[in-house]
Amino acid sequence: MEIEEINKLGKELMDILDLETSPVAVGLVNDEKDIPEGIQKIGEATRHCQMIDNVRRTGSQFYTTAGDHQCKGGAAVMGLGEMSEKLKSGELYFNLNHFGSLEAAKSTMENIPHVDSYSVKAILYAPLEKANFVPDVVVIVTPPRKVMQLSQAVLHTKGGRINSSFAGKQSLCGDGVALPYLSGEAGVTIGCSGSRKYTQIEDEEMIISVPVDKLQDMVSAAKAMFN
């Protein structure tokens, strides 16, 4: 798919569903030489969930490498590094009283979607309607009614079900990017403690993520169903 078509689909999607903020194009780059010209490195270290929120609200676009990610757990599940032992073992969340036992915490962390460690060298972020690259995943933060409509649009052509998988942990990184990237399927997630603490995602919003290969069919279906 050409970049111009990607941008056109982004604009159409916003118009059809009257989205209040932009869908976010996310690209996982395996070699830094593949970072497109004209996209600048982010200016300061921050969290992936904040990056998504900033892009959708302000229209900013940038790329990041491992050192730009303040949340190392988020960076790790997207393939920029390796998860720390404290996070991998569940100790971190157990100590925060998010689980009743260390075993429960560890079991949950073992099931977080995880791109191969160090396989990704950079991550690109842009509003879908302005991106100068073809993304791997499109992340949309919006109220549940519109997540419902987008889910229906995803299934319009071939049917099936949206197989959502989440634990309220590593949400915009593991669920929002790693899961659709690895599975090739759309996913829905609800946010996590970190993403709801450090961003302006509203209580009334949730997240749907779609692999770029499904974008054209989803937008065409949304146009037919809801325009």
Side-chain angles (χ1 to χ4, degrees):
M1 199 183 306
E2 299 294 327
I3 292 172
E4 292 77 11
E5 180 66 14
I6 296 281
N7 298 154
K8 178 174 176 286
L9 292 171
K11 292 173 185 174
E12 289 180 349
L13 190 59
M14 292 188 71
D15 289 343
I16 292 164
L17 292 185
D18 193 25
L19 298 177
E20 294 186 5
T21 59
S22 294
V24 179
V26 180
L28 275 58
V29 178
N30 304 118
D31 191 324
E32 287 191 49
K33 67 179 178 58
D34 294 328
I35 296 171
E37 293 184 8
I39 186 166
Q40 301 296 313
K41 201 168 190 282
I42 194 171
E44 59 182 346
T46 187
R47 296 169 174 82
H48 164 77
C49 53
Q50 292 174 304
M51 297 175 192
I52 292 286
D53 198 42
N54 289 341
V55 170
R56 75 175 181 115
R57 291 179 180 280
T58 69
S60 59
Q61 46 190 326
F62 48 83
Y63 77 91
T64 65
T65 56
D68 301 312
H69 284 257
Q70 195 172 1
C71 174
K72 300 306 180 185
V77 299
M78 295 186 296
L80 283 171
E82 189 169 4
M83 195 177 290
S84 71
E85 190 58 38
K86 193 171 184 179
L87 191 59
K88 188 190 304 183
S89 68
E91 181 184 352
L92 176 64
Y93 288 125
F94 175 65
N95 288 341
L96 289 172
N97 199 32
H98 288 190
F99 292 94
S101 69
L102 185 59
E103 291 74 17
K106 182 180 180 182
S107 174
T108 298
M109 296 311 298
E110 287 174 344
N111 284 283
I112 297 290
H114 192 303
V115 180
D116 288 344
S117 299
Y118 301 106
S119 64
V120 173
K121 305 304 179 186
I123 301 180
L124 313 173
Y125 299 83
L128 188 63
E129 71 276 11
K130 297 179 183 178
N132 67 343
F133 59 90
V134 177
D136 293 294
V137 176
V138 178
V139 180
I140 304 166
V141 184
T142 194
R145 179 179 177 83
K146 294 180 182 181
V147 171
M148 176 197 73
Q149 291 175 315
L150 288 165
S151 299
Q152 292 171 342
V154 168
L155 302 177
H156 186 267
T157 302
K158 296 182 179 178
R161 292 179 64 82
I162 303 291
N163 294 313
S164 183
S165 175
F166 57 83
K169 300 285 181 290
Q170 313 294 137
S171 185
L172 266 77
C173 49
D175 301 342
V177 174
L179 179 63
Y181 178 79
L182 293 169
S183 70
E185 299 295 334
V188 172
T189 187
I190 55 174
C192 59
S193 302
S195 61
R196 291 196 178 274
K197 177 179 180 180
Y198 294 111
T199 72
Q200 296 181 57
I201 294 173
E202 303 287 347
D203 288 349
E204 297 79 17
E205 292 180 310
M206 56 192 300
I207 302 100
I208 182 169
S209 299
V210 183
V212 73
D213 290 347
K214 294 188 177 294
L215 179 63
Q216 192 161 36
D217 284 349
M218 182 183 76
V219 175
S220 296
K223 188 185 299 185
M225 297 170 75
F226 309 118
N227 197 18

PDB file of all heavy atoms in Angstrom, residues 129-146:
ATOM      1  N   GLU A 129      -3.197  10.090   9.054  1.00  0.00           N
ATOM      2  CA  GLU A 129      -3.488  10.923   7.890  1.00  0.00           C
ATOM      3  C   GLU A 129      -2.298  11.760   7.432  1.00  0.00           C
ATOM      4  O   GLU A 129      -2.335  12.391   6.376  1.00  0.00           O
ATOM      5  CB  GLU A 129      -4.693  11.832   8.174  1.00  0.00           C
ATOM      6  CG  GLU A 129      -4.445  12.961   9.157  1.00  0.00           C
ATOM      7  CD  GLU A 129      -4.578  12.555  10.626  1.00  0.00           C
ATOM      8  OE1 GLU A 129      -4.654  11.337  10.904  1.00  0.00           O
ATOM      9  OE2 GLU A 129      -4.602  13.450  11.484  1.00  0.00           O
ATOM     10  N   LYS A 130      -1.197  11.759   8.224  1.00  0.00           N
ATOM     11  CA  LYS A 130      -0.011  12.546   7.868  1.00  0.00           C
ATOM     12  C   LYS A 130       1.257  11.706   7.772  1.00  0.00           C
ATOM     13  O   LYS A 130       2.320  12.238   7.450  1.00  0.00           O
ATOM     14  CB  LYS A 130       0.219  13.643   8.916  1.00  0.00           C
ATOM     15  CG  LYS A 130      -0.887  14.673   9.027  1.00  0.00           C
ATOM     16  CD  LYS A 130      -0.540  15.673  10.122  1.00  0.00           C
ATOM     17  CE  LYS A 130      -1.653  16.694  10.322  1.00  0.00           C
ATOM     18  NZ  LYS A 130      -1.322  17.636  11.440  1.00  0.00           N
ATOM     19  N   ALA A 131       1.195  10.427   8.069  1.00  0.00           N
ATOM     20  CA  ALA A 131       2.396   9.591   8.156  1.00  0.00           C
ATOM     21  C   ALA A 131       3.169   9.588   6.840  1.00  0.00           C
ATOM     22  O   ALA A 131       2.575   9.562   5.760  1.00  0.00           O
ATOM     23  CB  ALA A 131       2.006   8.161   8.534  1.00  0.00           C
ATOM     24  N   ASN A 132       4.508   9.593   6.939  1.00  0.00           N
ATOM     25  CA  ASN A 132       5.334   9.479   5.739  1.00  0.00           C
ATOM     26  C   ASN A 132       5.986   8.097   5.665  1.00  0.00           C
ATOM     27  O   ASN A 132       7.052   7.920   5.091  1.00  0.00           O
ATOM     28  CB  ASN A 132       6.398  10.582   5.700  1.00  0.00           C
ATOM     29  CG  ASN A 132       7.443  10.447   6.802  1.00  0.00           C
ATOM     30  OD1 ASN A 132       7.218   9.737   7.784  1.00  0.00           O
ATOM     31  ND2 ASN A 132       8.576  11.111   6.633  1.00  0.00           N
ATOM     32  N   PHE A 133       5.334   7.110   6.260  1.00  0.00           N
ATOM     33  CA  PHE A 133       5.789   5.723   6.222  1.00  0.00           C
ATOM     34  C   PHE A 133       4.565   4.812   6.251  1.00  0.00           C
ATOM     35  O   PHE A 133       3.470   5.225   6.642  1.00  0.00           O
ATOM     36  CB  PHE A 133       6.700   5.417   7.425  1.00  0.00           C
ATOM     37  CG  PHE A 133       6.043   5.626   8.763  1.00  0.00           C
ATOM     38  CD1 PHE A 133       5.343   4.606   9.412  1.00  0.00           C
ATOM     39  CD2 PHE A 133       6.113   6.868   9.406  1.00  0.00           C
ATOM     40  CE1 PHE A 133       4.728   4.798  10.641  1.00  0.00           C
ATOM     41  CE2 PHE A 133       5.502   7.075  10.644  1.00  0.00           C
ATOM     42  CZ  PHE A 133       4.805   6.030  11.258  1.00  0.00           C
ATOM     43  N   VAL A 134       4.750   3.592   5.807  1.00  0.00           N
ATOM     44  CA  VAL A 134       3.695   2.588   5.889  1.00  0.00           C
ATOM     45  C   VAL A 134       3.808   1.913   7.253  1.00  0.00           C
ATOM     46  O   VAL A 134       4.822   1.268   7.538  1.00  0.00           O
ATOM     47  CB  VAL A 134       3.808   1.544   4.769  1.00  0.00           C
ATOM     48  CG1 VAL A 134       2.740   0.459   4.928  1.00  0.00           C
ATOM     49  CG2 VAL A 134       3.684   2.207   3.404  1.00  0.00           C
ATOM     50  N   PRO A 135       2.818   2.063   8.113  1.00  0.00           N
ATOM     51  CA  PRO A 135       2.930   1.511   9.472  1.00  0.00           C
ATOM     52  C   PRO A 135       2.706   0.004   9.498  1.00  0.00           C
ATOM     53  O   PRO A 135       2.236  -0.591   8.524  1.00  0.00           O
ATOM     54  CB  PRO A 135       1.800   2.223  10.223  1.00  0.00           C
ATOM     55  CG  PRO A 135       0.774   2.484   9.165  1.00  0.00           C
ATOM     56  CD  PRO A 135       1.543   2.759   7.896  1.00  0.00           C
ATOM     57  N   ASP A 136       3.048  -0.584  10.625  1.00  0.00           N
ATOM     58  CA  ASP A 136       2.696  -1.987  10.870  1.00  0.00           C
ATOM     59  C   ASP A 136       1.341  -2.099  11.543  1.00  0.00           C
ATOM     60  O   ASP A 136       0.581  -3.029  11.273  1.00  0.00           O
ATOM     61  CB  ASP A 136       3.763  -2.643  11.759  1.00  0.00           C
ATOM     62  CG  ASP A 136       5.097  -2.774  11.054  1.00  0.00           C
ATOM     63  OD1 ASP A 136       5.167  -3.528  10.075  1.00  0.00           O
ATOM     64  OD2 ASP A 136       6.054  -2.105  11.476  1.00  0.00           O
ATOM     65  N   VAL A 137       1.061  -1.148  12.426  1.00  0.00           N
ATOM     66  CA  VAL A 137      -0.150  -1.194  13.255  1.00  0.00           C
ATOM     67  C   VAL A 137      -0.763   0.199  13.328  1.00  0.00           C
ATOM     68  O   VAL A 137      -0.037   1.201  13.360  1.00  0.00           O
ATOM     69  CB  VAL A 137       0.195  -1.684  14.683  1.00  0.00           C
ATOM     70  CG1 VAL A 137      -1.031  -1.638  15.590  1.00  0.00           C
ATOM     71  CG2 VAL A 137       0.767  -3.094  14.649  1.00  0.00           C
ATOM     72  N   VAL A 138      -2.083   0.246  13.354  1.00  0.00           N
ATOM     73  CA  VAL A 138      -2.798   1.506  13.574  1.00  0.00           C
ATOM     74  C   VAL A 138      -3.507   1.405  14.921  1.00  0.00           C
ATOM     75  O   VAL A 138      -4.277   0.470  15.159  1.00  0.00           O
ATOM     76  CB  VAL A 138      -3.818   1.772  12.456  1.00  0.00           C
ATOM     77  CG1 VAL A 138      -4.585   3.057  12.734  1.00  0.00           C
ATOM     78  CG2 VAL A 138      -3.119   1.840  11.099  1.00  0.00           C
ATOM     79  N   VAL A 139      -3.232   2.361  15.812  1.00  0.00           N
ATOM     80  CA  VAL A 139      -3.793   2.371  17.162  1.00  0.00           C
ATOM     81  C   VAL A 139      -4.834   3.491  17.254  1.00  0.00           C
ATOM     82  O   VAL A 139      -4.520   4.645  16.959  1.00  0.00           O
ATOM     83  CB  VAL A 139      -2.693   2.583  18.217  1.00  0.00           C
ATOM     84  CG1 VAL A 139      -3.297   2.581  19.625  1.00  0.00           C
ATOM     85  CG2 VAL A 139      -1.609   1.513  18.107  1.00  0.00           C
ATOM     86  N   ILE A 140      -6.042   3.139  17.662  1.00  0.00           N
ATOM     87  CA  ILE A 140      -7.131   4.116  17.741  1.00  0.00           C
ATOM     88  C   ILE A 140      -7.671   4.134  19.170  1.00  0.00           C
ATOM     89  O   ILE A 140      -8.089   3.103  19.693  1.00  0.00           O
ATOM     90  CB  ILE A 140      -8.261   3.760  16.758  1.00  0.00           C
ATOM     91  CG1 ILE A 140      -7.701   3.659  15.332  1.00  0.00           C
ATOM     92  CG2 ILE A 140      -9.377   4.800  16.824  1.00  0.00           C
ATOM     93  CD1 ILE A 140      -8.639   3.005  14.346  1.00  0.00           C
ATOM     94  N   VAL A 141      -7.640   5.303  19.788  1.00  0.00           N
ATOM     95  CA  VAL A 141      -8.174   5.500  21.136  1.00  0.00           C
ATOM     96  C   VAL A 141      -9.477   6.276  20.993  1.00  0.00           C
ATOM     97  O   VAL A 141      -9.487   7.403  20.483  1.00  0.00           O
ATOM     98  CB  VAL A 141      -7.185   6.272  22.029  1.00  0.00           C
ATOM     99  CG1 VAL A 141      -7.732   6.380  23.450  1.00  0.00           C
ATOM    100  CG2 VAL A 141      -5.814   5.600  22.031  1.00  0.00           C
ATOM    101  N   THR A 142     -10.574   5.681  21.433  1.00  0.00           N
ATOM    102  CA  THR A 142     -11.885   6.262  21.156  1.00  0.00           C
ATOM    103  C   THR A 142     -12.918   5.654  22.105  1.00  0.00           C
ATOM    104  O   THR A 142     -12.644   4.644  22.756  1.00  0.00           O
ATOM    105  CB  THR A 142     -12.256   6.014  19.670  1.00  0.00           C
ATOM    106  OG1 THR A 142     -13.355   6.831  19.286  1.00  0.00           O
ATOM    107  CG2 THR A 142     -12.552   4.548  19.401  1.00  0.00           C
ATOM    108  N   PRO A 143     -14.107   6.229  22.210  1.00  0.00           N
ATOM    109  CA  PRO A 143     -15.131   5.654  23.086  1.00  0.00           C
ATOM    110  C   PRO A 143     -15.590   4.268  22.626  1.00  0.00           C
ATOM    111  O   PRO A 143     -15.463   3.906  21.452  1.00  0.00           O
ATOM    112  CB  PRO A 143     -16.278   6.674  23.006  1.00  0.00           C
ATOM    113  CG  PRO A 143     -15.605   7.956  22.650  1.00  0.00           C
ATOM    114  CD  PRO A 143     -14.494   7.576  21.713  1.00  0.00           C
ATOM    115  N   PRO A 144     -16.174   3.482  23.549  1.00  0.00           N
ATOM    116  CA  PRO A 144     -16.566   2.102  23.237  1.00  0.00           C
ATOM    117  C   PRO A 144     -17.508   1.966  22.051  1.00  0.00           C
ATOM    118  O   PRO A 144     -17.412   0.996  21.296  1.00  0.00           O
ATOM    119  CB  PRO A 144     -17.230   1.630  24.533  1.00  0.00           C
ATOM    120  CG  PRO A 144     -16.574   2.425  25.601  1.00  0.00           C
ATOM    121  CD  PRO A 144     -16.323   3.771  25.002  1.00  0.00           C
ATOM    122  N   ARG A 145     -18.431   2.894  21.854  1.00  0.00           N
ATOM    123  CA  ARG A 145     -19.352   2.785  20.720  1.00  0.00           C
ATOM    124  C   ARG A 145     -18.591   2.755  19.397  1.00  0.00           C
ATOM    125  O   ARG A 145     -18.916   1.968  18.490  1.00  0.00           O
ATOM    126  CB  ARG A 145     -20.358   3.931  20.719  1.00  0.00           C
ATOM    127  CG  ARG A 145     -21.332   3.865  19.539  1.00  0.00           C
ATOM    128  CD  ARG A 145     -22.338   5.006  19.571  1.00  0.00           C
ATOM    129  NE  ARG A 145     -23.199   4.963  18.401  1.00  0.00           N
ATOM    130  CZ  ARG A 145     -24.289   4.194  18.295  1.00  0.00           C
ATOM    131  NH1 ARG A 145     -24.639   3.412  19.287  1.00  0.00           N
ATOM    132  NH2 ARG A 145     -25.018   4.212  17.197  1.00  0.00           N
ATOM    133  N   LYS A 146     -17.559   3.580  19.296  1.00  0.00           N
ATOM    134  CA  LYS A 146     -16.791   3.622  18.048  1.00  0.00           C
ATOM    135  C   LYS A 146     -15.860   2.411  17.930  1.00  0.00           C
ATOM    136  O   LYS A 146     -15.583   1.949  16.820  1.00  0.00           O
ATOM    137  CB  LYS A 146     -16.043   4.948  17.942  1.00  0.00           C
ATOM    138  CG  LYS A 146     -17.028   6.105  17.807  1.00  0.00           C
ATOM    139  CD  LYS A 146     -16.364   7.461  17.694  1.00  0.00           C
ATOM    140  CE  LYS A 146     -17.440   8.547  17.622  1.00  0.00           C
ATOM    141  NZ  LYS A 146     -16.865   9.901  17.497  1.00  0.00           N
TER     142      LYS A 146
END
